[in-house]
Amino acid sequence: MEGRLQLVSATTPGPSPMPGEQVDGEDEPDGADTEGDVELFSIEGSRASQYVKDPMLFDQLSLNSAQRLKTQLVLLMSRIDEMKKNFNKEFEEVLAQKEAEVSRTRERNQRMAKIIQDLELNDTLYEPKMSAEERPELLLKVEEEEISADRYVSPEEQARLDEQNHLEEVRRLAEMGDKPRDRALDMMMAGRLEADAEEELFKDLEPPDFIGHKPTEAWTEEEQKEAKEFEKHKVALEEERIKYKKALEVELRKLQGSVSEACVAFDEKLEKLHQWKIQLQKAIDQEELKVIRLSSLLFVSNELSHEEQQLGEKLSDKKAERTSHNNLVKILARSADEMKSRYESMVQDDKALDRNFKKDFNDQEAYVDALYRAYRKRPRGHRAKAVPDALVPDSTAPNPFAMRPSSAVLSPQGLQEAIQEMDNPSTAPAGLDLAVWERVVAARRQKINSEQQVRQMGLQLAEVNAFLKRTQRLEDQCTVDIEKLLTDLKQLRDERERYYLNIQVQLLLKQGQVEVNTSGFVPSYQDCILINRGVVEGLNKDIKALGEAKVATMNSSIQNKKGIYHLEWESRKLKMEEQDLKTKLHEIQLLRVTRKLQQHLLEDNTQNCQQKEISIFEETLRKNEETHTHRLDEIRRRLERVQLQLKSKTDENKQLYLQLQDLQVAVAERQMIQDVDGLQKQDSSAKARMAEIVERKRLLTQAKSLAQELKALQREHEKIRRRNFPQLPGDVPQAASTY
C-alpha cells in the first residue's frame, strides 16, 4: 500500500469525498464534468474545492492587499492540511480492512493446508504479510530466525534455566501420576473423548485372521460370509473416502475462490485509493503552488514596504537638512548685507581721509607733495607673523564670525614697530617744522588704521559670501536629493500598486501545445495568446481538408501525366514498328532470289527439308569428329617420339657436360705441364689448344642446334595441345595461321 500523506496541524474542517468517487476531471473525456464545474475549477486554479470547501477563501482577483494575502495563505494551508487529514483517515480504514482480510486469509489457509495434506497435493498457499512500510514498528522487532549467532548465556543464567526446567519436569510428572482414567483414555481413544470422523474414515479395515493364512478353498461357509461382509465394508469405505475427497476438493476450490475474490476486491479498493491519492496529490500540488506564489508576492510586498519606509526616512532627513540650510542662508544673507553696507561706508570714510589730506596741509605748499608721499608710505617687509594655531579656527567652520585665518591677521607689535620707525623725525623732509610732521604722522596713523579696518572688513565680507554660496549649494543639493527621493518613492509606490493590481492568476487549462521559441534558458511568454482547442482543431480540420484536396489534385495530375506519357510511349512504339516494317520491306525488295531460296519457297513440306539439313549436318559433324580423333592419335604418337628424342638428347647433353668437365680438367693439367716443359713444347701445346678450341666450338654449335630443336619440339607440342582444347573467338586466327 502507498504511504500516508504528510500531515500537519489542520484547523479548518471540511467534507471528505468518497474514495470510490471519480475525481479525475482533467483526464476524463468530454462531458465528464459540467461546464460550470470546469469553469469554476479553471478560475480557482485548483480542484481542491472538490474535496474541501471553504467559503472564507478570497477570489484570486481580490488579493489586492497584504492582509488579504496573509489571510489567503493561512486558509490555503488549512485546506491542504484538511485534504491530507481526510486521505489519512481513509488510508487508516483501508489498512484496517487489509489487516482483517489478512487474518481471514490466514484462517482459510489453515483449513486449506489441512485439506491439501489430506488430499496429498503439492499446492502452495498464498501467505499475505504486512510489510514494514505499512507497520513501521516491525522494523524494531527482531525475529529469532533473523539472528544467526548463538545467544550468549552466562553461567548464572544457565543455572537458573536448568532449575526452571527441572521444576517444570517435576510438576509435569506430578500432574501425570498413575491415573486410570487418563491411562484408559490414552489406550482406547488416543487421549480424546470425541472420535475424529476424518481419521476413522482414513483408517484401513483389519481383515479377518483367516484371510491370508488359509487358502480360499479351505474357507468354511461362515468364513466365506465374513469375507463377503468384509469386502462390502471395504467397498463402502472406499466410496465414502471418494465422496469425502470430492467434498474436500469442492471446499478447497471454494476457499481458494473466496481468497481470490477477497484479494481482487481489496486490490480494486486499493487501486481506487491510489487513484484518489493521485488526484488529491494533484490538488495539493496546485494549492501549494498557490501558496508559493502568494508567499513570493507577500515577500516582494514586504520588501517594497520596507524600502518605501527607508526612502520616507531619508526624505524626512533631507527635508530637515534643507530647512536648516535655508534658515542659515537667510541669516547669512542679512549679515552679508549689513557687513556690505558697513564696508562701503568705511571705504567712503577712507577715501574722504585721502581727499582731505591736502586741504589740511594747504599752508605747506612747498612740502605738500613730499608730505603726501610720506602720508602714502607704508611699512614694507613687516607683515605680521601668523598667530598660533590655537587662536586660528578651521576655515570650514559654519560660523562666519569666528576668528579668521592667519593670513588675514597682522601682528600689532610688528606693525607698531614699523610705524614708529616711519614716525621718526629723521625721516621727515628737510626743513619741515616738527609740529607739522607730528600732524602728518597723526594723519598717517589714522589712515593706516582706517585701511586696516577696511581690509579686515573686506576679508570678513568675502568669507561670509563664500560661506553663503557653499550653504546655498548644499541647499540646492538637498533639493535635488529630495526630488530624486520623491521620484524613487513614486516609482516604488507604483511598482507596489502594480504588484497588488497586476497579480498573477493561476488557471487550470486543458492539455495543449506550447508553440513558442524556447531557445533561451527561460522562454518568454509575453507575446503568447491562449487559443481555444476548438479553434485549433477547426483550423487543423480545414488544413487537412485543403491538404486532401491538394493531394487529390496532385494525384489527378499524376494520372493525367501518366496517361500522356503512355500515349507518347505508344506513339514512339508505333513509329519504331513502322520503321522496322519499312526496313523489312526494303530488305525484301533488295533480296536476291537464289535457286536454293526458290527451292525452299517451292518446297511444300519444309519440315522434311529441315530434317535433311539436320541429317547432313550430323553426318558432317560425325566425319569431323572421326578426323579429329585420327589427328589426335597421330599427334600423340609424334609427341611420344619427340619426348623420346628429348630424353635421349638430354642424356647426351649430360654426357657431353661430363666430358666437358673432364676436358677442362685435362686442359688445366696440360696447361700446368706446358708451363713446366717450357718453350720447346710451345708448338705442340698451341696445336693442342687449337684442337681443344675447335672441339669446344663444335660442341657449342651442337648444343645450340639441340636447343633450337628442343624449342621447335616445344612449339609443336603447344600447337598439338591447343588443337585438343576448345578455342575462343580471339584464338581462331592464330590457330588458323599455325595449323
Side-chain angles (χ1 to χ4, degrees):
M1 291 179 65
E2 297 291 335
R4 298 176 177 83
L5 292 173
Q6 184 180 0
L7 178 62
V8 295
S9 60
T11 58
T12 304
S16 176
M18 296 300 293
E21 184 182 356
Q22 180 66 32
V23 294
D24 189 0
E26 294 179 359
D27 298 333
E28 282 290 315
D30 295 339
D33 289 333
T34 61
E35 185 177 357
D37 294 338
V38 173
E39 184 177 359
L40 178 62
F41 295 149
S42 299
I43 294 175
E44 289 184 356
S46 136
R47 287 184 172 268
S49 60
Q50 188 177 0
Y51 307 102
V52 177
K53 297 186 181 297
D54 191 352
M56 298 178 63
L57 284 170
F58 293 100
D59 186 70
Q60 290 192 97
L61 302 177
S62 302
L63 301 174
N64 51 11
S65 65
Q67 185 61 34
R68 289 192 175 188
L69 288 175
K70 295 177 182 178
T71 305
Q72 188 79 349
L73 282 174
V74 174
L75 294 176
L76 289 176
M77 294 299 295
S78 176
R79 174 184 276 189
I80 293 172
D81 297 341
E82 186 64 23
M83 286 190 291
K84 292 181 179 180
K85 185 177 179 181
N86 293 337
F87 176 81
N88 289 341
K89 181 179 179 181
E90 186 64 27
F91 179 85
E92 293 294 340
E93 294 178 0
V94 175
L95 182 61
Q97 182 181 355
K98 180 176 181 180
E99 292 176 352
E101 291 294 338
V102 168
S103 62
R104 284 194 291 269
T105 303
R106 287 175 179 173
E107 293 176 359
R108 295 190 185 102
N109 285 343
Q110 292 178 359
R111 177 57 184 164
M112 286 191 292
K114 182 65 170 60
I115 294 173
I116 290 171
Q117 183 180 1
D118 293 341
L119 296 178
E120 297 179 356
L121 300 177
N122 294 325
D123 296 346
T124 56
L125 299 177
Y126 169 66
E127 292 290 342
K129 295 181 180 179
M130 300 294 289
S131 63
E133 294 179 353
E134 297 168 334
R135 288 298 183 191
E137 60 271 12
L138 295 178
L139 293 173
L140 304 177
K141 185 178 179 181
V142 181
E143 301 293 340
E144 292 293 338
E145 58 270 10
E146 296 179 1
I147 302 175
S148 58
D150 296 334
R151 181 181 178 184
Y152 172 73
V153 181
S154 62
E156 295 81 4
E157 187 175 1
Q158 185 65 39
R160 183 177 59 81
L161 293 176
D162 294 341
E163 183 66 22
Q164 289 181 357
N165 295 333
H166 178 68
L167 295 176
E168 182 67 22
E169 184 66 20
V170 171
R171 185 188 61 79
R172 187 180 63 82
L173 293 176
E175 289 180 355
M176 289 176 59
D178 189 8
K179 298 180 180 179
R181 181 177 179 277
D182 295 339
R183 188 172 65 253
L185 187 62
D186 291 336
M187 293 175 62
M188 298 177 63
M189 303 183 67
R192 290 176 298 181
L193 294 176
E194 295 180 358
D196 192 352
E198 296 179 1
E199 293 184 0
E200 294 294 333
L201 188 62
F202 284 95
K203 285 183 179 180
D204 294 333
L205 295 176
E206 295 182 1
D209 296 336
F210 58 87
I211 296 176
H213 297 84
K214 294 172 63 177
T216 308
E217 294 80 5
W219 288 356
T220 62
E221 293 181 358
E222 293 181 358
E223 290 177 347
Q224 291 178 358
K225 290 180 180 181
E226 188 176 356
K228 290 180 180 180
E229 290 294 332
F230 175 75
E231 291 296 333
K232 288 181 181 180
H233 287 299
K234 187 176 181 180
V235 171
L237 182 60
E238 289 295 331
E239 292 177 354
E240 290 294 332
R241 287 178 179 176
I242 293 172
K243 291 180 181 180
Y244 183 71
K245 287 183 179 180
K246 290 182 179 180
L248 290 178
E249 291 175 355
V250 171
E251 184 180 1
L252 179 62
R253 285 194 295 270
K254 287 182 179 180
L255 292 173
Q256 291 175 346
S258 62
V259 171
S260 300
E261 290 175 358
C263 292
V264 170
F266 181 77
D267 289 341
E268 292 177 355
K269 189 167 185 179
L270 186 62
E271 178 66 21
K272 290 180 181 179
L273 181 66
H274 177 64
Q275 295 297 330
W276 184 40
K277 180 189 176 182
I278 293 174
Q279 300 304 321
L280 197 63
Q281 188 65 46
K282 287 167 62 178
I284 291 173
D285 292 341
Q286 292 165 0
E287 293 297 307
E288 289 179 349
L289 181 60
K290 282 185 182 180
V291 171
I292 294 171
R293 183 171 50 80
L294 294 179
S295 300
S296 176
L297 182 60
L298 187 59
F299 175 75
V300 173
S301 176
N302 293 334
E303 289 293 326
L304 293 176
S305 299
H306 181 66
E307 189 174 354
E308 182 182 2
Q309 183 180 0
Q310 290 181 348
L311 289 177
E313 293 176 356
K314 290 181 180 178
L315 183 60
S316 300
D317 296 339
K318 285 294 180 181
K319 286 182 178 180
E321 185 179 355
R322 186 179 66 174
T323 302
S324 63
H325 287 315
N326 190 8
N327 296 331
L328 185 58
V329 165
K330 292 178 181 179
I331 296 172
L332 291 174
R334 289 195 299 269
S335 300
D337 293 338
E338 294 175 357
M339 293 179 69
K340 185 177 181 181
S341 61
R342 289 169 57 192
Y343 176 74
E344 290 176 354
S345 63
M346 292 175 68
V347 170
Q348 293 297 328
D349 294 340
D350 184 69
K351 290 180 179 180
L353 290 174
D354 193 46
R355 288 193 302 269
N356 294 329
F357 179 77
K358 290 184 180 182
K359 293 180 181 180
D360 293 338
F361 293 93
N362 56 4
D363 55 346
Q364 302 292 329
E365 295 180 359
Y367 297 98
V368 170
D369 295 334
L371 293 176
Y372 187 73
R373 286 194 297 273
Y375 177 75
R376 298 292 298 175
K377 186 178 180 180
R378 299 289 182 268
R380 293 179 179 275
H382 294 283
R383 300 289 295 178
K385 296 182 179 180
V387 297
D389 294 339
L391 301 176
V392 181
D394 189 5
S395 61
T396 60
N399 188 4
F401 304 104
M403 190 173 292
R404 299 297 97 204
S406 61
S407 61
V409 180
L410 297 176
S411 176
Q413 184 179 0
L415 181 60
Q416 292 297 327
E417 291 176 357
I419 291 173
Q420 288 178 2
E421 291 178 1
M422 291 172 60
D423 293 345
N424 194 356
S426 62
T427 59
L432 182 66
D433 189 10
L434 184 60
V436 176
W437 176 249
E438 291 178 354
R439 287 171 55 196
V440 171
V441 170
R444 186 171 60 185
R445 281 179 175 273
Q446 185 180 2
K447 177 66 174 175
I448 290 173
N449 292 331
S450 178
E451 289 178 355
Q452 187 69 20
Q453 291 177 0
V454 170
R455 188 180 298 111
Q456 290 180 358
M457 182 59 67
L459 290 174
Q460 290 180 2
L461 180 60
E463 289 202 5
V464 168
N465 289 329
F467 188 74
L468 177 60
K469 290 181 180 180
R470 187 166 62 250
T471 307
Q472 288 177 349
R473 286 198 299 271
L474 292 175
E475 183 182 5
D476 296 338
Q477 184 64 35
C478 288
T479 304
V480 173
D481 293 342
I482 288 172
E483 292 177 356
K484 186 176 182 302
L485 288 173
L486 288 174
T487 303
D488 295 342
L489 187 60
K490 185 177 180 303
Q491 292 178 356
L492 189 63
R493 288 174 178 173
D494 293 341
E495 186 176 1
R496 187 179 63 180
E497 292 297 327
R498 182 176 62 83
Y499 265 94
Y500 282 136
L501 298 178
N502 189 19
I503 60 176
Q504 295 181 0
V505 179
Q506 182 173 322
L507 301 176
L508 286 184
L509 302 177
K510 291 185 178 180
Q511 183 180 5
Q513 184 176 358
V514 180
E515 297 182 356
V516 296
N517 186 14
T518 58
S519 60
F521 182 74
V522 178
S524 177
Y525 299 98
Q526 294 180 357
D527 300 331
C528 297
I529 57 175
L530 296 177
I531 301 176
N532 193 353
R533 184 175 181 179
V535 177
V536 178
E537 290 179 352
L539 291 175
N540 292 337
K541 186 177 180 181
D542 296 339
I543 293 171
K544 187 177 180 181
L546 293 174
E548 291 177 353
K550 185 176 180 180
V551 170
T553 304
M554 293 174 65
N555 290 331
S556 177
S557 176
I558 291 171
Q559 295 298 329
N560 293 333
K561 288 184 179 180
K562 284 184 179 179
I564 293 170
Y565 295 153
H566 184 70
L567 292 176
E568 290 178 352
W569 182 82
E570 289 288 343
S571 176
R572 290 197 300 270
K573 176 185 174 185
L574 294 175
K575 288 181 181 179
M576 293 174 69
E577 289 180 353
E578 180 184 3
Q579 187 68 27
D580 292 341
L581 292 175
K582 288 181 180 180
T583 305
K584 288 182 180 180
L585 179 61
H586 183 68
E587 291 177 355
I588 291 171
Q589 290 175 354
L590 297 178
L591 181 63
R592 296 178 63 184
V593 182
T594 59
R595 183 176 295 175
K596 185 176 181 180
L597 183 59
Q598 291 178 358
Q599 184 179 0
H600 180 72
L601 293 174
L602 294 175
E603 186 69 31
D604 294 335
N605 193 357
T606 57
Q607 188 175 2
N608 294 333
C609 181
Q610 292 177 357
Q611 290 293 336
K612 289 180 181 179
E613 290 180 357
I614 290 171
S615 61
I616 292 171
F617 289 150
E618 289 178 353
E619 184 66 22
T620 304
L621 181 61
R622 187 178 61 78
K623 293 293 185 182
N624 290 335
E625 289 178 353
E626 291 179 356
T627 305
H628 180 67
T629 303
H630 290 304
R631 290 178 61 188
L632 285 177
D633 294 339
E634 180 64 24
I635 289 170
R636 289 193 187 93
R637 288 193 294 272
R638 291 177 60 187
L639 181 60
E640 290 177 358
R641 289 196 299 271
V642 169
Q643 288 178 352
L644 291 174
Q645 291 178 3
L646 180 62
K647 185 177 181 181
S648 63
K649 293 296 182 181
T650 302
D651 295 337
E652 290 179 2
N653 288 335
K654 289 181 179 180
Q655 292 177 2
L656 291 174
Y657 181 73
L658 295 175
Q659 292 178 5
L660 179 61
Q661 289 180 350
D662 295 339
L663 290 174
Q664 289 177 353
V665 172
V667 168
E669 292 176 354
R670 289 180 180 275
Q671 183 67 32
M672 292 173 65
I673 293 171
Q674 183 180 5
D675 293 338
V676 174
D677 290 344
L679 295 175
Q680 61 272 19
K681 296 183 179 179
Q682 185 175 3
D683 295 337
S684 60
S685 62
K687 291 180 181 179
R689 285 199 303 275
M690 185 64 185
E692 185 179 355
I693 290 170
V694 171
E695 183 64 21
R696 184 172 179 275
K697 184 177 180 181
R698 185 183 66 79
L699 292 175
L700 290 174
T701 304
Q702 187 177 2
K704 288 181 180 179
S705 63
L706 291 175
Q708 292 177 357
E709 187 177 358
L710 180 61
K711 288 182 179 180
L713 291 175
Q714 288 178 352
R715 286 195 296 271
E716 186 68 22
H717 176 266
E718 182 66 21
K719 292 178 182 179
I720 294 170
R721 185 184 66 79
R722 288 184 178 182
R723 293 193 188 102
N724 294 332
F725 291 95
Q727 296 179 355
L728 298 174
D731 297 336
V732 174
Q734 184 178 2
S737 62
T738 56
Y739 178 69

